[in-house]
Amino acid sequence: MAALTSPQIQSNVRIGLGKVLLVEDEELIRETVALSLADEGFDVCIADNGQKALEMLLGNNAKTAGAIGQSAISDISLVILDLMLPGMNGLDLCRLVRHQGIDVPILILSAKGTETDRVLGLEVGADDYLTKPFGMRELIARCRALLRRCQSQQKADDKSVLRFADISLHIDECRVFLVDKEVSLSPKEFKILELLLSQPKRVWSRNQIIDQVWGYDFMGDNKTVDVHIRWLREKLEENPSRPKYLKTVRGFGYRLG
Ligand code: CA
């Protein structure tokens, strides 16, 4: 992987811009784009054919997936892809990358500029399409826009999962896992757990839990909370009488951890 790491380029690196893989067989374009990207603070690696690019994405992928033991996430945050390449062309590469489940944003940079070409590029899984000749500022702006879109999607995904120790609660999917085993909860148990997970250190009184989970018009007594906590402990705790997660704070209420 030919990363540009001269001190001059490194001194311009700004935090959080990510690594761009530039796949381009024409040396002049490759060098010009790589330098401009590096100058803007991107970490750049290059491939002059599709096969090499695929290996970089897959190698990367396998390494990262093995390390974190979940769906593959490459440390390449964006691919700029030429279409007319020796050997495997850009469209086939794009197709293969998507087929492997790699969802890195791809910007096609091609001399093929008809509407059909652009539609085809987007249909095989590219996220954006820029026609040569192009302006460098537009290319950089599009790269930034793609990365922004991707990062805000990532943030949205992060917010929809609450975690504490071995417990993870997926808000949108209404599912709870203990390590990787799914735990079946009633809607009220789910709501209580969601509330506790939302602020792990906070102590909640029974009345506060009732207000948040059942609503202000709840007519029952607050022993209901104790009953639901007991059920939750039975489902989540290894030893429900000595809870690790759902702790009683005597005289106040409940707290997580
Ligand atoms: Ca080319």
Side-chain angles (χ1 to χ4, degrees), residues 24-26 82 84-85 132:
E24 173 63 72
D25 61 322
E26 283 170 65
D82 179 27
M84 287 182 281
L85 294 164
K132 293 174 187 171

